[in-house]
Amino acid sequence: MMIIRWLDRHLEEALSVVLLAAIVILVCVNVAARHVFEASLPWGEELIGWVFIWFIWIAVSYVFRLDQHIEITLLRDLLPSLLNRMLHLAIRLMVVAFLLAVSVYCFDLIMNPMVRNQVSVVLQMPIPVYYASAPFGAVLASFRILQNCWRPVSNNNVSGGAS
């Protein structure tokens, strides 16, 4: 149970730190190799791109976990409190629907035989691993959004039962 709680609180942070550190190290090594040895690493740029796309999708989920995405709230702020909360919930559920649709389409793309059998040019890594970042991040982000939708409901029930 402690591991699940830790993962719930720190999964995206831990993965993002590792991936961002890898990007920084790879960029520094590639720049140093280019300036010192006058030849960049042939696999460096491709690996940086792979790590970066995974980092972006995990960071998207992290920001949804914190509920800190940029929002335009002009209309919502003009509404009464109940309508404001209802609209906020509806927007969150539409984002979840969009992310899940992205996941389904990406999964279909990954399962396509043309994609499933492709490998990257330099690293010779399976292209589906690259494309899997989108459904992984989108499902994780959807889970985080639903968690944020559930928290006010569960907090009200807890505080309501204590009064």
Side-chain angles (χ1 to χ4, degrees):
M1 192 62 160
M2 224 160 99
I3 293 172
I4 293 172
R5 190 174 302 128
W6 187 90
L7 286 173
D8 181 46
R9 293 184 183 152
H10 303 290
L11 175 66
E12 291 95 338
E13 289 172 335
L15 290 174
S16 293
V17 165
V18 169
L19 294 173
L20 189 56
I23 291 169
V24 170
I25 291 167
L26 287 167
V27 167
C28 289
V29 167
N30 210 17
V31 168
R34 201 174 295 143
H35 289 289
V36 174
F37 303 113
E38 295 181 8
S40 63
L41 303 170
W43 48 268
E45 288 184 39
E46 189 172 297
L47 185 57
I48 290 166
W50 282 64
V51 174
F52 187 69
I53 195 71
W54 275 90
F55 169 75
I56 292 299
W57 277 105
I58 290 169
V60 165
S61 174
Y62 176 66
V63 177
F64 273 122
R65 183 177 73 80
L66 298 178
D67 202 17
Q68 295 292 315
H69 270 285
I70 295 172
E71 296 178 284
I72 299 172
T73 61
L74 178 66
L75 174 63
R76 234 183 47 210
D77 293 343
L78 295 174
L79 296 174
S81 178
L82 178 61
L83 288 176
N84 182 321
R85 287 190 310 242
M86 289 173 59
L87 180 60
H88 190 60
L89 178 62
I91 291 168
R92 284 178 169 180
L93 294 177
M94 284 188 274
V95 170
V96 167
F98 171 77
L99 289 170
L100 293 177
V102 166
S103 298
V104 168
Y105 287 118
C106 286
F107 186 74
D108 286 346
L109 177 66
I110 291 167
M111 298 316 301
N112 182 321
M114 292 287 288
V115 173
R116 191 175 48 214
N117 299 324
Q118 284 185 348
V119 293
S120 64
V121 175
V122 178
L123 295 171
Q124 294 297 300
M125 290 181 62
I127 291 296
V129 172
Y130 183 78
Y131 289 155
S133 62
F136 178 83
V139 168
L140 191 56
S142 297
F143 175 73
R144 295 307 190 174
I145 294 168
L146 292 174
Q147 271 186 323
N148 287 336
C149 290
W150 177 251
R151 279 192 183 109
V153 173
S154 63
N155 288 342
N156 287 342
N157 287 343
V158 170
S159 63
S163 296

Short mmCIF file of all heavy atoms in Angstrom, two decimals, residues 87-127:
data_model
loop_
_atom_site.label_atom_id
_atom_site.label_comp_id
_atom_site.label_asym_id
_atom_site.label_seq_id
_atom_site.Cartn_x
_atom_site.Cartn_y
_atom_site.Cartn_z
N LEU A 87 -19.48 23.46 -15.10
CA LEU A 87 -18.76 23.69 -16.35
C LEU A 87 -17.33 23.17 -16.24
O LEU A 87 -16.82 22.54 -17.17
CB LEU A 87 -18.76 25.18 -16.71
CG LEU A 87 -18.04 25.55 -18.00
CD1 LEU A 87 -18.67 24.83 -19.20
CD2 LEU A 87 -18.05 27.06 -18.21
N HIS A 88 -16.68 23.42 -15.11
CA HIS A 88 -15.32 22.92 -14.89
C HIS A 88 -15.28 21.40 -14.97
O HIS A 88 -14.39 20.83 -15.61
CB HIS A 88 -14.81 23.42 -13.53
CG HIS A 88 -13.36 23.19 -13.31
ND1 HIS A 88 -12.39 23.71 -14.12
CD2 HIS A 88 -12.71 22.47 -12.36
CE1 HIS A 88 -11.20 23.34 -13.69
NE2 HIS A 88 -11.36 22.58 -12.63
N LEU A 89 -16.25 20.74 -14.38
CA LEU A 89 -16.33 19.28 -14.44
C LEU A 89 -16.58 18.81 -15.88
O LEU A 89 -15.94 17.86 -16.34
CB LEU A 89 -17.43 18.77 -13.51
CG LEU A 89 -17.65 17.25 -13.51
CD1 LEU A 89 -16.39 16.53 -13.03
CD2 LEU A 89 -18.85 16.90 -12.65
N ALA A 90 -17.47 19.48 -16.58
CA ALA A 90 -17.77 19.11 -17.97
C ALA A 90 -16.53 19.25 -18.85
O ALA A 90 -16.24 18.38 -19.68
CB ALA A 90 -18.92 19.97 -18.52
N ILE A 91 -15.78 20.31 -18.65
CA ILE A 91 -14.54 20.52 -19.42
C ILE A 91 -13.54 19.42 -19.12
O ILE A 91 -12.92 18.86 -20.02
CB ILE A 91 -13.95 21.92 -19.14
CG1 ILE A 91 -14.86 23.00 -19.74
CG2 ILE A 91 -12.52 22.03 -19.67
CD1 ILE A 91 -14.53 24.40 -19.28
N ARG A 92 -13.39 19.09 -17.85
CA ARG A 92 -12.47 18.01 -17.47
C ARG A 92 -12.87 16.69 -18.13
O ARG A 92 -12.02 15.96 -18.63
CB ARG A 92 -12.44 17.83 -15.96
CG ARG A 92 -11.66 18.88 -15.22
CD ARG A 92 -11.75 18.64 -13.74
NE ARG A 92 -10.82 19.46 -13.00
CZ ARG A 92 -10.71 19.43 -11.69
NH1 ARG A 92 -11.44 18.59 -10.98
NH2 ARG A 92 -9.85 20.21 -11.08
N LEU A 93 -14.15 16.39 -18.12
CA LEU A 93 -14.61 15.14 -18.72
C LEU A 93 -14.43 15.14 -20.24
O LEU A 93 -14.13 14.09 -20.82
CB LEU A 93 -16.07 14.87 -18.33
CG LEU A 93 -16.28 14.61 -16.82
CD1 LEU A 93 -17.76 14.44 -16.52
CD2 LEU A 93 -15.46 13.44 -16.33
N MET A 94 -14.59 16.29 -20.88
CA MET A 94 -14.33 16.38 -22.32
C MET A 94 -12.84 16.17 -22.61
O MET A 94 -12.49 15.52 -23.61
CB MET A 94 -14.79 17.73 -22.87
CG MET A 94 -16.29 17.82 -23.04
SD MET A 94 -16.79 19.33 -23.91
CE MET A 94 -16.89 20.48 -22.56
N VAL A 95 -11.98 16.69 -21.77
CA VAL A 95 -10.53 16.48 -21.95
C VAL A 95 -10.21 15.00 -21.78
O VAL A 95 -9.42 14.43 -22.55
CB VAL A 95 -9.71 17.36 -20.97
CG1 VAL A 95 -8.24 16.97 -20.99
CG2 VAL A 95 -9.89 18.83 -21.31
N VAL A 96 -10.83 14.34 -20.80
CA VAL A 96 -10.62 12.90 -20.60
C VAL A 96 -11.07 12.15 -21.86
O VAL A 96 -10.36 11.26 -22.34
CB VAL A 96 -11.36 12.39 -19.35
CG1 VAL A 96 -11.41 10.87 -19.32
CG2 VAL A 96 -10.70 12.92 -18.09
N ALA A 97 -12.23 12.50 -22.39
CA ALA A 97 -12.73 11.84 -23.60
C ALA A 97 -11.75 12.04 -24.76
O ALA A 97 -11.45 11.09 -25.50
CB ALA A 97 -14.11 12.37 -23.97
N PHE A 98 -11.23 13.24 -24.91
CA PHE A 98 -10.25 13.51 -25.96
C PHE A 98 -8.99 12.68 -25.76
O PHE A 98 -8.48 12.06 -26.71
CB PHE A 98 -9.90 15.00 -26.00
CG PHE A 98 -8.76 15.31 -26.92
CD1 PHE A 98 -8.95 15.35 -28.29
CD2 PHE A 98 -7.49 15.56 -26.41
CE1 PHE A 98 -7.89 15.62 -29.15
CE2 PHE A 98 -6.43 15.83 -27.25
CZ PHE A 98 -6.62 15.87 -28.62
N LEU A 99 -8.46 12.66 -24.54
CA LEU A 99 -7.23 11.90 -24.27
C LEU A 99 -7.43 10.40 -24.49
O LEU A 99 -6.55 9.71 -25.01
CB LEU A 99 -6.75 12.17 -22.84
CG LEU A 99 -6.17 13.56 -22.61
CD1 LEU A 99 -5.94 13.80 -21.11
CD2 LEU A 99 -4.88 13.77 -23.39
N LEU A 100 -8.58 9.90 -24.11
CA LEU A 100 -8.84 8.48 -24.34
C LEU A 100 -9.00 8.18 -25.83
O LEU A 100 -8.56 7.12 -26.30
CB LEU A 100 -10.06 8.02 -23.54
CG LEU A 100 -9.86 8.03 -22.01
CD1 LEU A 100 -11.15 7.64 -21.30
CD2 LEU A 100 -8.70 7.14 -21.59
N ALA A 101 -9.58 9.11 -26.58
CA ALA A 101 -9.67 8.93 -28.03
C ALA A 101 -8.27 8.93 -28.65
O ALA A 101 -7.97 8.11 -29.53
CB ALA A 101 -10.53 10.03 -28.65
N VAL A 102 -7.41 9.83 -28.19
CA VAL A 102 -6.02 9.84 -28.65
C VAL A 102 -5.37 8.50 -28.36
O VAL A 102 -4.67 7.94 -29.21
CB VAL A 102 -5.23 10.99 -27.98
CG1 VAL A 102 -3.72 10.82 -28.16
CG2 VAL A 102 -5.67 12.34 -28.53
N SER A 103 -5.62 7.96 -27.17
CA SER A 103 -5.04 6.67 -26.79
C SER A 103 -5.50 5.55 -27.71
O SER A 103 -4.69 4.73 -28.15
CB SER A 103 -5.42 6.32 -25.35
OG SER A 103 -4.91 7.27 -24.47
N VAL A 104 -6.78 5.53 -28.01
CA VAL A 104 -7.32 4.49 -28.88
C VAL A 104 -6.72 4.59 -30.27
O VAL A 104 -6.28 3.59 -30.85
CB VAL A 104 -8.86 4.57 -28.93
CG1 VAL A 104 -9.43 3.69 -30.04
CG2 VAL A 104 -9.45 4.17 -27.58
N TYR A 105 -6.68 5.80 -30.83
CA TYR A 105 -6.13 5.97 -32.17
C TYR A 105 -4.64 5.65 -32.21
O TYR A 105 -4.15 5.05 -33.18
CB TYR A 105 -6.40 7.37 -32.71
CG TYR A 105 -7.84 7.58 -33.10
CD1 TYR A 105 -8.63 8.52 -32.47
CD2 TYR A 105 -8.43 6.80 -34.10
CE1 TYR A 105 -9.96 8.70 -32.81
CE2 TYR A 105 -9.75 6.96 -34.46
CZ TYR A 105 -10.51 7.91 -33.81
OH TYR A 105 -11.82 8.07 -34.15
N CYS A 106 -3.91 6.03 -31.18
CA CYS A 106 -2.47 5.70 -31.13
C CYS A 106 -2.27 4.20 -30.99
O CYS A 106 -1.36 3.64 -31.62
CB CYS A 106 -1.81 6.44 -29.97
SG CYS A 106 -1.60 8.19 -30.28
N PHE A 107 -3.10 3.57 -30.20
CA PHE A 107 -2.98 2.11 -30.06
C PHE A 107 -3.26 1.43 -31.40
O PHE A 107 -2.55 0.50 -31.78
CB PHE A 107 -3.92 1.60 -28.97
CG PHE A 107 -3.74 0.13 -28.68
CD1 PHE A 107 -2.65 -0.33 -27.99
CD2 PHE A 107 -4.68 -0.79 -29.15
CE1 PHE A 107 -2.48 -1.69 -27.74
CE2 PHE A 107 -4.52 -2.14 -28.92
CZ PHE A 107 -3.42 -2.59 -28.21
N ASP A 108 -4.28 1.89 -32.11
CA ASP A 108 -4.57 1.36 -33.44
C ASP A 108 -3.38 1.55 -34.38
O ASP A 108 -3.03 0.66 -35.16
CB ASP A 108 -5.81 2.02 -34.05
CG ASP A 108 -7.10 1.54 -33.41
OD1 ASP A 108 -7.08 0.52 -32.69
OD2 ASP A 108 -8.14 2.20 -33.63
N LEU A 109 -2.75 2.73 -34.30
CA LEU A 109 -1.58 3.00 -35.13
C LEU A 109 -0.43 2.05 -34.78
O LEU A 109 0.22 1.49 -35.66
CB LEU A 109 -1.13 4.45 -34.95
CG LEU A 109 0.13 4.86 -35.72
CD1 LEU A 109 -0.13 4.83 -37.22
CD2 LEU A 109 0.58 6.24 -35.27
N ILE A 110 -0.21 1.85 -33.49
CA ILE A 110 0.86 0.96 -33.04
C ILE A 110 0.61 -0.47 -33.51
O ILE A 110 1.55 -1.18 -33.87
CB ILE A 110 0.99 1.02 -31.50
CG1 ILE A 110 1.54 2.37 -31.07
CG2 ILE A 110 1.89 -0.11 -30.98
CD1 ILE A 110 1.43 2.64 -29.58
N MET A 111 -0.64 -0.89 -33.52
CA MET A 111 -0.96 -2.26 -33.92
C MET A 111 -0.97 -2.47 -35.44
O MET A 111 -0.98 -3.60 -35.91
CB MET A 111 -2.32 -2.69 -33.34
CG MET A 111 -2.38 -2.70 -31.82
SD MET A 111 -0.96 -3.43 -30.99
CE MET A 111 -0.92 -5.07 -31.61
N ASN A 112 -0.92 -1.38 -36.19
CA ASN A 112 -0.86 -1.47 -37.65
C ASN A 112 0.42 -2.20 -38.04
O ASN A 112 1.51 -1.82 -37.59
CB ASN A 112 -0.88 -0.06 -38.24
CG ASN A 112 -0.87 -0.04 -39.74
OD1 ASN A 112 -0.19 -0.84 -40.38
ND2 ASN A 112 -1.61 0.90 -40.29
N PRO A 113 0.33 -3.22 -38.87
CA PRO A 113 1.54 -3.98 -39.24
C PRO A 113 2.64 -3.13 -39.86
O PRO A 113 3.82 -3.42 -39.67
CB PRO A 113 1.02 -5.01 -40.26
CG PRO A 113 -0.44 -5.13 -39.97
CD PRO A 113 -0.88 -3.80 -39.45
N MET A 114 2.27 -2.07 -40.58
CA MET A 114 3.29 -1.20 -41.18
C MET A 114 4.12 -0.50 -40.10
O MET A 114 5.31 -0.29 -40.27
CB MET A 114 2.63 -0.14 -42.07
CG MET A 114 1.99 -0.71 -43.31
SD MET A 114 3.20 -1.23 -44.52
CE MET A 114 3.77 0.35 -45.07
N VAL A 115 3.48 -0.14 -39.01
CA VAL A 115 4.18 0.56 -37.92
C VAL A 115 4.82 -0.46 -36.97
O VAL A 115 5.96 -0.27 -36.54
CB VAL A 115 3.20 1.47 -37.15
CG1 VAL A 115 3.85 2.07 -35.92
CG2 VAL A 115 2.67 2.55 -38.07
N ARG A 116 4.09 -1.51 -36.68
CA ARG A 116 4.55 -2.50 -35.69
C ARG A 116 5.91 -3.09 -36.07
O ARG A 116 6.70 -3.43 -35.19
CB ARG A 116 3.50 -3.60 -35.55
CG ARG A 116 3.74 -4.52 -34.39
CD ARG A 116 2.62 -5.50 -34.21
NE ARG A 116 2.26 -6.13 -35.47
CZ ARG A 116 1.03 -6.49 -35.81
NH1 ARG A 116 0.04 -6.31 -34.96
NH2 ARG A 116 0.77 -7.06 -36.96
N ASN A 117 6.20 -3.19 -37.36
CA ASN A 117 7.44 -3.82 -37.80
C ASN A 117 8.55 -2.82 -38.12
O ASN A 117 9.63 -3.23 -38.53
CB ASN A 117 7.17 -4.69 -39.03
CG ASN A 117 6.19 -5.80 -38.69
OD1 ASN A 117 6.21 -6.36 -37.59
ND2 ASN A 117 5.30 -6.11 -39.62
N GLN A 118 8.30 -1.52 -37.93
CA GLN A 118 9.32 -0.52 -38.23
C GLN A 118 10.31 -0.38 -37.08
O GLN A 118 9.96 -0.58 -35.91
CB GLN A 118 8.68 0.85 -38.46
CG GLN A 118 8.02 1.02 -39.78
CD GLN A 118 7.52 2.45 -39.96
OE1 GLN A 118 7.47 3.23 -39.03
NE2 GLN A 118 7.14 2.77 -41.18
N VAL A 119 11.53 -0.01 -37.43
CA VAL A 119 12.55 0.32 -36.43
C VAL A 119 13.13 1.68 -36.79
O VAL A 119 13.08 2.12 -37.94
CB VAL A 119 13.67 -0.74 -36.36
CG1 VAL A 119 13.14 -2.06 -35.84
CG2 VAL A 119 14.35 -0.92 -37.70
N SER A 120 13.70 2.35 -35.79
CA SER A 120 14.29 3.66 -36.03
C SER A 120 15.56 3.52 -36.87
O SER A 120 16.20 2.46 -36.88
CB SER A 120 14.58 4.35 -34.71
OG SER A 120 15.55 3.64 -33.98
N VAL A 121 15.92 4.58 -37.52
CA VAL A 121 17.02 4.55 -38.48
C VAL A 121 18.36 4.25 -37.80
O VAL A 121 19.08 3.35 -38.20
CB VAL A 121 17.10 5.89 -39.26
CG1 VAL A 121 18.30 5.92 -40.17
CG2 VAL A 121 15.81 6.13 -40.02
N VAL A 122 18.70 4.99 -36.78
CA VAL A 122 20.02 4.87 -36.18
C VAL A 122 20.04 3.85 -35.05
O VAL A 122 20.90 2.97 -35.01
CB VAL A 122 20.52 6.25 -35.67
CG1 VAL A 122 21.88 6.13 -35.01
CG2 VAL A 122 20.58 7.24 -36.82
N LEU A 123 19.12 3.97 -34.12
CA LEU A 123 19.12 3.10 -32.94
C LEU A 123 18.57 1.70 -33.20
O LEU A 123 18.76 0.80 -32.40
CB LEU A 123 18.32 3.75 -31.81
CG LEU A 123 18.89 5.04 -31.25
CD1 LEU A 123 17.89 5.68 -30.29
CD2 LEU A 123 20.20 4.77 -30.54
N GLN A 124 17.83 1.56 -34.28
CA GLN A 124 17.17 0.30 -34.61
C GLN A 124 16.21 -0.15 -33.50
O GLN A 124 16.04 -1.34 -33.25
CB GLN A 124 18.22 -0.80 -34.89
CG GLN A 124 19.06 -0.54 -36.13
CD GLN A 124 18.21 -0.53 -37.40
OE1 GLN A 124 17.58 -1.53 -37.72
NE2 GLN A 124 18.20 0.58 -38.11
N MET A 125 15.59 0.84 -32.83
CA MET A 125 14.60 0.55 -31.79
C MET A 125 13.23 0.46 -32.45
O MET A 125 12.97 1.15 -33.43
CB MET A 125 14.61 1.62 -30.71
CG MET A 125 15.86 1.58 -29.86
SD MET A 125 15.87 2.83 -28.57
CE MET A 125 14.45 2.36 -27.60
N PRO A 126 12.35 -0.37 -31.90
CA PRO A 126 11.01 -0.50 -32.47
C PRO A 126 10.24 0.83 -32.40
O PRO A 126 10.13 1.44 -31.34
CB PRO A 126 10.34 -1.56 -31.61
CG PRO A 126 11.40 -2.16 -30.78
CD PRO A 126 12.56 -1.23 -30.75
N ILE A 127 9.71 1.26 -33.51
CA ILE A 127 8.94 2.51 -33.58
C ILE A 127 7.72 2.47 -32.65
O ILE A 127 7.36 3.50 -32.08
CB ILE A 127 8.55 2.81 -35.04
CG1 ILE A 127 9.79 3.18 -35.85
CG2 ILE A 127 7.50 3.90 -35.14
CD1 ILE A 127 10.50 4.45 -35.41
#
